[in-house]
Every structure is written in structure tokens, then in C-alpha cells.
Amino acid sequence: MSAPAAVEFRVGLSSCGVASGAGAVRDALAQEAASGATLKGVGCNGMCHSEPIVQVLEGGRPVAMYGNVTPAVAQQIARRHLGKPGGKDPSDHLLDPLSGPAGAYLGKQRRIVLENCGEIDPGRIDDYIARGGYQALTRCLNEGQRLSPDDVIAAVTESGLRGRGGAGFPTGRKWRVARSQPGTTRYVVCNGDEGDPGAFMDRLVLEADPHRVLEGLAIAAYAVGASEGFLYIRAEYPLALRHVRQAIAQAEEMGFLGRDIHGSGFSLKLLVREGAGAFVCGEETALIQSLEGHRGMPKLRPPYPVERGFRGAPTVINNVETLAAVPWILRHGAAEFASLGTEKSKGTKVFALAGKIRRGGLIEVPMGITLREIVEEIGGGVGDGRKFKAVQIGGPSGGCIPASMAGTPVDYDAIPATGAIMGSGGLVVLDDTDCMVDIARFFLRFTQAESCGECTFCRVGTKRMLEILDRLCAGHGAAGDLETLEELATYVGQASLCGLGQSAPNPVLTTIRYFREEYEAHIHEKRCPALSCPALVRYRVSDRCTGCTLCSQVCPVSAIEERPGEQHEIDSSLCTRCGECRHTCPEEAIEVVSPC
Amino acid sequence: VLGSVAGLQARPKEDGAPKAASPPIDLTFVDELVRREGRSPEAAIPILQAIQEHYRYLPDEAMRRVCELTEITPAQIAGTSSFYTRFRRSPVGKHIVRVCHGTACHVAGAGQINEELRRALNIPEGADTDDAREFTVEEVACLGCCSLAPVVMVDERTSGKLTRATARGVLTAAQKGGRG
């Protein structure tokens, strides 16, 4: 490519950016900035709430960042930074990374795993190398300052890195056990089967910085003595798959992967395997079954995969985020990583912040930060007029932590003490319009559908629990339901083989623990305090109605008769409480009420 | 499922002129695929994925052919193809609409988007494809674009922050073949 031009425009082109229209923004920039500027497609910088994002660099220095850019605004940005006359001033779209909302979002973050996201073109290995990429792997392999496999394991152990997939097992220890196994054949696997609903850390890292994950996996292979490895990635992530495949081809061409890497005698062949749509395959023994061509049914451990895994050989399975931290640790030293975080939880954690929050996206924070800091400061709190109610952390294996406990620090000890789990990093913020019984039901429906069916309690127990929750939300709860739920939850947790079943009751148990009164209202009063469960609410038109007939026009089930100029009425026997009339009414005249 | 694959497998092998015997589906793709992916049971899932990508579902004839050519058994095919949710045993519409049902989408009204799309396409209860075989609507696990909830993916194109009103738009956009 040509030498860097004076002005460079960067457009975030990850899935979320593209879904927000970043493709059209890039095209507009390309047209306007055809000459005199470099245009670069980069990964997402995590500010999903402001996508599409355009960053401007002059002489290699960042000078401006714009958010919520449309093609028209992109033209204005290009004209302004290229000194072309005319056009509107795009400064309304400026995001100041040092102050204001963008500053609050970025200020508390500490970027290790995400350090390159939004900075480099994921399709160019040179970009990665220019930011220190493959230095850590090179140090392992090149004569002179060479790090032995034992040195690598020692460094990773010393850094305190723990598995970011959810369980938090110390990575260094895992590698050591695998290395100490007899035999010469070993495998490494990158687990990119990110299945938790509400979590997208791995997608973004794989899309925005794929070489980093390859380098981490190559270092893992070197440390444990593997010459073959797999990246198991969800098929729902087509862009991540494309970027990873492209990255492997580039790394092979440059000699960072393949036979006898850099003349060191170390060889590594990496292959991509697409998930076929089974949440349980995120569990490592199920993942191995899937790699071997079978149904993803977990196996009893021990033996652990590090002892006997893929093809019966010792197999190290690490999560995307875990591997992405490894090159940084080797480059900056274990001590620097360990200086971040708390006593038992070192380093940083990436979270996917979503739900009822002003600024959602991907964030990387030091361990030990409180949930409140994440929700209120980074995320800017919930929307106007709404109340922060709870955070759902850890997806279907996790739980809901109420706002009153938002002072809880994020680490591998404090979060489990609440009954939730750290999980892989899904963090969904809930406000006062979210019904906790419905949230519990949502997750249970998920785990019930994803249960592989091997263990009776997981297969049947979750089904029975779901039936009770369905009944509660439909207004058919009965005395004793809550006790039965709790009893079943205990059995399911105790009598399941793998993490899916063991943790499936967590969303139910935590919501019962912290929001028992909501369950009781559903059971005894047939009332949904959040006014969310459709069967337990009624829609009504207040006297603010001006008779504009808009509600009648949008009602999908014709439950509102058109009466121009008069106060409208909703036929409750037809109404499905879809909310369409409420969102349409310019007078906010449609009220949701409890029937009793 | 097991019965259908096993039953098909039980038929006499058709050496020489199998293509003439099953005219609707050209199986040369399967032959090439097996040459590429190998014959071991480990190749089962990549083979099924490639078959599905090519034919857009898993035709019985193609799976029977896989069993003939490889060490993969009908039982393994029946087991895996019914276990993994991305595998389909029946043909799909021209476009696949994946309605995300992740947590963020759930609280943002994914159920209503799903309802609206099905209504717009007149898809009867229990079915997932419209009569004209234009669209297949599937509820899928999280697509990982949680900040844009609720999200729908039509073919490979993702759209976010949908409402009932804009949800219909993604269908028309797909029909026009519009991108970007």
C-alpha cells in the first residue's frame, strides 16, 4: 500500500456497525475523499450506541471522532477535514473521548484485549504487526531471547489470567497440566462458540482483531506442545468466520503459522470449524464431541480434556478473550497484567453492555470495578424517567443482581456470592418495566431448549420449571408453585453432568431471592408489578385522547374502532397488548393498567 | 428422522446410474465434497454444513450418498442433523429471516417483531415458510448485536433497532436484493 496520507478516515465495519449503515458511510467517504486521504475499514471500537463511527487522523494523530454518522454527514466530515469549501458543519456529531458522554464511556476503561479494536484493519496483517502483533510469538521462537514453553506457562501463571469463558479456571495451570501429559500428540482449541444470549465479546474480537486470537492460540500450542489447533466459531458470526479464515491464510503466508515457523522447528496447523447451532457445545467436552462429528453431548469429567480430549489426546480449550490477552501479557510482562484487578481476579474483563441503558456496547474494565460504575458511569444509566432495577450477568447460567447491590465489585469471588456468576461477559441492564418472572422464564426457555437431553433432571426438570413459569406469567399461578420451583431448581443443579444443567436454575433462584414479591404478586394477585406480562395487564385509552385515529390505524388486530374526534376505546377481548398503539399515540393517551 | 435416513440407506446401492434414478437432485456436489473433506466420521458435520449451504437444506438423497461414500453411518447423520439447530430437513424459502431472541432483543420486543413478520408473510401457525416460498422465518439464539436490539438478520444482512413498522421494510429490502 502507499505511504500514509496526511488525512486518514477510519470507519467501523463490524457487524453491528454495518447493521447501523456503516457500509453506506464508507461509500460516501470514498466518493468524497477519493484523493488526498486514506480510507480504512476498521473493527468496532465498542461504542455500539454511536455507530456508525468515523475517526479522523491527521499526520497519524487522531483529531476527531464522529458518531451516528449518516452518508450525508460523512460527506460533510470529508469536506471539512480535507479543507474543501462549503457544506454543513458536522460538529454536532463529534464525540469527545475526553469529556462528556463519550469520555465517560471510555474514561473508566482499560483496554488490553480490545487495544486494537477500531484501530486496525482486521483484513491486514501489517496493521496488526505495526501495533506489536506477533512479537510475543516471535519471542517464543527466535534464538537469542527465546522463551521456552515453561517460561511461557510461568508468565501466564504469574499474570493470574483466568479463563474468560465463565468458569475462571487459571489458564497457566490448565496449560501446565496439558504439557505434563505423556505422549506427543496434543491439541489446542479456541472456543468461539459464544452462545450466551446478550454476549458478543468474542464476536467483536474475532471480527476486529483476528490475528490477536491466532497469536494467542499459537502461543498456547507452543506452550503445551501442540501442532494442530482448531477455532470453533459460531455459524451465526459470518463476518468473524471470514476474518479469521483470511487471517490464517495471511499468517501462513508470512510464516507465523504452518511448518517449521521461523526455522524454530515448531509447526502449527490451524483449522476453522463452524458451530452448527448448539449452545451446549460451548461446554468443552461437548465441543470435543462436536469436533469429532457427533452430537454435542457432554461427558463426565474427569478425565478432563487436558488429560484426554480430542481424539483421546490432551486438549487445551481456551476462550477467545483468554487467548487474546496472552500476547499482551508476554509483551508487557505478567506483573503489569497482575497489577490490574483484585487479589484473586487479575487483569481486565470485557463486557457486552446491553439492555435498558443509554450507552451500550463493548467495554473492557479492570476487575474489581463495581456494577454501579459500569451501569451509571460508563453506560450512562437507564433511560429518562426509568428506574435501574437489576443487571442480568452471566446469561442463562448467571443471575439477576438487584440495583440495591450495585456496589458489588466485578470479580470471580464477589459475583458468585450473589448467586449469579461472572460468566463470559454478558451484562444486560433491566429497568422498572422489565418483569423478573418473565426474565427468569426467558432464560429457562433458552436452557430448556438447549438442554442436550442427557441428564434427566436437566431434560425434564427444566421443562417442569418452565411450565410453572409459563403459568405464572399467564396468570394461572397457584399456591405452592414457588416452593416447587425452588425444589426443582435444587435437583436440576445437583443432578446435571455439565455446566448447562448445573447453572440452569441460577436465573430462577436469583430472581426468587431478590424479587420474591414479584413472584408472589403473579401467583396470589394475578398481577405483574412491572406491567409487562401481556396476560396480566390491560390497555386503556385515557381522556388525553384527541380522537386522531392513529391508534386505530396501527392496531394489527383491529381492537380499536376508528372514531374521529372522539375518545377511542380498546376492545380487551381482541387486544394482544402488543404496544403498537402506545408507541404511536402522539398524546401518550394509552395506559397500561393491572386489571385488578 | 432416523427411520427416513435408515430406510433410504436400506435401498439397494445404485452404482453406475444413480443420477438418472433420482433426477431432481444433482449429487456430483456431494461426491466432490467427500473427496475434499474425507471419509472419516469426524468429517460428518463439515460435510452436512456444506450440503446444507449448497442445497439450502439436507436432502435425503444427498445424505444417503454421504453414507454410501464414507464411513459415516445413517445413525450418525440422523443424530447430528437432528441435534444441531442449524440443520434443516425440509427446503427453505428464497430468503431466510433470522429473528434474534437474545436477552437484549427479548426485552426490546423481539416477540412482537417475530409476530409482525409472520403476519406480514401470512405464515400459518406451526409453519416457518410462506406459501410462495419467498421467506423462511426462524427464531434464533443471540446474533450478538445486542446494542441494536431488536435485531433481524435476512440472509447475511443484519438490521437493528426495528419496530413493527420498520420490520416489514427488511422483507421488501431483501426482495429488492438491496445491499448496504
Side-chain angles (χ1 to χ4, degrees), chain A residues 16 19-20 48 196-198 200 203 234-238 242 273-278 280-281 290-297 310-311 354 356 360-361 428 430 434 438-439 442-443 446 452 556-557 578 580, chain B residues 37 41-46 49 53 76 78-80 82-87 98 101-104 106-108 112 115-116 119 140-148 153 156 158-161 163-165 180:
Chain A
C16 39
S20 314
C48 306
D196 278 9
F200 53 95
R203 170 182 70 73
R234 289 180 84 199
E236 283 81 359
Y237 292 169
R242 208 178 310 145
R273 284 280 177 270
E274 274 183 45
V280 71
C281 288
S290 177
L291 280 181
E292 291 178 346
H294 305 296
R295 292 161 75 94
M297 311 281 263
F310 183 57
R311 295 176 183 158
K356 305 295 177 61
V428 180
L430 304 170
D434 293 313
D438 178 61
I439 293 294
F442 167 78
F443 282 111
F446 180 84
C452 77
V557 292
C578 70
E580 201 61 15
Chain B
E37 295 288 342
E42 237 174 55
I45 294 172
Q49 283 170 328
E53 186 166 341
Q76 191 188 349
T80 45
S82 58
F83 183 83
Y84 296 99
T85 52
R86 285 186 73 94
F87 291 134
R98 297 192 168 94
H101 279 256
T103 322
H106 175 73
V107 295
Q112 286 152 25
E115 237 171 62
E116 181 65 27
R119 195 185 348 254
V140 297
C142 189
L143 293 170
C145 295
C146 310
S147 319
L148 304 173
M153 191 179 197
E156 279 212 2
T158 310
S159 309
K161 295 187 179 162
T163 63
R164 267 177 191 267

Side-chain angles (χ1 to χ4, degrees), chain A residues 261-273:
Chain A
I261 300 169
H262 286 204
S264 64
F266 169 64
S267 300
L268 180 63
K269 176 79 191 157
L270 291 184
L271 296 166
V272 175
R273 284 280 177 270

Side-chain angles (χ1 to χ4, degrees), chain A residues 52-195:
Chain A
I53 288 176
V54 173
Q55 284 190 75
V56 187
L57 286 84
E58 284 173 14
R61 283 199 6 263
V63 293
M65 177 161 64
Y66 297 90
N68 298 308
V69 177
T70 60
V73 174
Q75 275 180 351
Q76 296 160 17
I77 294 170
R79 298 186 78 85
R80 179 172 169 195
H81 288 273
L82 294 172
K84 293 187 187 173
K88 265 176 64 183
D89 182 2
S91 24
D92 282 355
H93 290 263
L94 269 177
L95 299 171
D96 182 350
L98 297 177
S99 67
Y105 187 79
L106 296 169
K108 288 227 157 181
Q109 295 196 45
R110 178 75 168 87
R111 295 193 165 217
I112 289 177
V113 167
L114 301 182
E115 65 177 341
N116 289 339
C117 294
E119 303 292 332
I120 64 169
D121 179 345
R124 283 168 42 94
I125 192 170
D126 291 343
D127 273 24
Y128 180 63
I129 293 171
R131 293 189 43 108
Y134 288 111
Q135 267 177 21
L137 178 66
T138 308
R139 267 198 69 197
C140 296
L141 302 176
N142 281 5
E143 304 267 352
Q145 43 172 12
R146 191 165 183 160
L147 285 171
S148 74
D150 285 323
D151 295 338
V152 173
I153 293 175
V156 171
T157 306
E158 198 191 317
S159 75
L161 178 65
R162 296 171 67 167
R164 299 294 193 240
F169 191 82
T171 307
R173 205 190 304 166
K174 196 183 240 186
W175 292 7
R176 185 169 305 284
V177 175
R179 181 161 181 79
S180 66
Q181 298 299 309
T184 50
T185 306
R186 284 167 200 142
Y187 296 98
V188 287
V189 178
C190 166
N191 185 350
D193 194 40
E194 177 175 62

Side-chain angles (χ1 to χ4, degrees), chain B residues 125-175:
Chain B
E125 196 138 328
D128 63 2
T129 304
D130 64 335
D131 285 342
R133 292 215 163 283
E134 274 285 303
F135 291 97
T136 296
V137 178
E138 294 180 341
E139 288 183 25
V140 297
C142 189
L143 293 170
C145 295
C146 310
S147 319
L148 304 173
V151 170
V152 167
M153 191 179 197
V154 184
D155 303 323
E156 279 212 2
R157 184 178 173 195
T158 310
S159 309
K161 295 187 179 162
L162 295 175
T163 63
R164 267 177 191 267
T166 55
R168 286 170 184 251
V170 302
L171 300 178
T172 16
Q175 271 174 325

Side-chain angles (χ1 to χ4, degrees), chain A residues 459-473:
Chain A
R459 183 181 69 243
V460 185
T462 55
K463 179 92 176 158
R464 294 289 95 87
M465 288 173 73
L466 180 59
E467 283 165 2
I468 294 175
L469 292 172
D470 278 339
R471 264 208 332 267
L472 300 194
C473 292

Side-chain angles (χ1 to χ4, degrees), chain A residues 149-403:
Chain A
D150 285 323
D151 295 338
V152 173
I153 293 175
V156 171
T157 306
E158 198 191 317
S159 75
L161 178 65
R162 296 171 67 167
R164 299 294 193 240
F169 191 82
T171 307
R173 205 190 304 166
K174 196 183 240 186
W175 292 7
R176 185 169 305 284
V177 175
R179 181 161 181 79
S180 66
Q181 298 299 309
T184 50
T185 306
R186 284 167 200 142
Y187 296 98
V188 287
V189 178
C190 166
N191 185 350
D193 194 40
E194 177 175 62
D196 278 9
F200 53 95
M201 302 74 54
D202 298 350
R203 170 182 70 73
L204 199 124
V205 173
L206 290 167
E207 281 179 359
D209 199 5
H211 283 287
R212 180 182 205 84
V213 183
L214 299 187
E215 187 182 4
L217 189 58
I219 292 167
Y222 171 73
V224 304
S227 57
E228 202 175 335
F230 295 89
L231 294 107
Y232 190 94
I233 300 170
R234 289 180 84 199
E236 283 81 359
Y237 292 169
L239 191 64
L241 281 160
R242 208 178 310 145
H243 285 182
V244 168
R245 289 193 168 112
Q246 188 181 26
I248 291 176
Q250 289 171 356
E252 282 176 347
E253 199 175 312
M254 299 275 291
F256 293 114
L257 292 175
R259 290 192 155 277
D260 191 18
I261 300 169
H262 286 204
S264 64
F266 169 64
S267 300
L268 180 63
K269 176 79 191 157
L270 291 184
L271 296 166
V272 175
R273 284 280 177 270
E274 274 183 45
F279 172 68
V280 71
C281 288
E283 200 278 339
E284 44 183 29
T285 60
L287 191 152
I288 289 170
Q289 290 289 305
S290 177
L291 280 181
E292 291 178 346
H294 305 296
R295 292 161 75 94
M297 311 281 263
K299 282 193 162 175
L300 189 65
R301 304 181 301 177
Y304 288 90
V306 283
E307 298 157 332
R308 204 181 317 148
F310 183 57
R311 295 176 183 158
T315 305
V316 163
I317 302 177
N318 284 133
N319 164 267
V320 170
E321 188 187 334
T322 315
L323 292 170
V326 168
W328 192 94
I329 291 170
L330 294 193
R331 261 189 291 127
H332 296 261
E336 186 147 352
F337 189 81
S339 72
L340 296 162
T342 63
E343 199 199 325
K344 289 188 186 156
S345 306
K346 302 295 187 193
T348 58
K349 176 78 195 89
V350 181
F351 285 101
L353 190 55
K356 305 295 177 61
I357 189 138
R358 274 177 224 269
R359 297 188 289 269
L362 210 70
I363 58 166
E364 183 172 2
V365 287
M367 293 277 190
I369 192 171
T370 64
L371 290 169
R372 178 171 293 111
E373 286 171 278
I374 293 180
V375 173
E376 305 278 348
E377 294 179 39
I378 296 177
V382 295
D384 280 330
R386 297 267 68 96
K387 251 180 78 188
F388 166 37
K389 184 171 182 176
V391 287
Q392 205 289 333
I393 180 168
S397 316
C400 291
I401 301 177

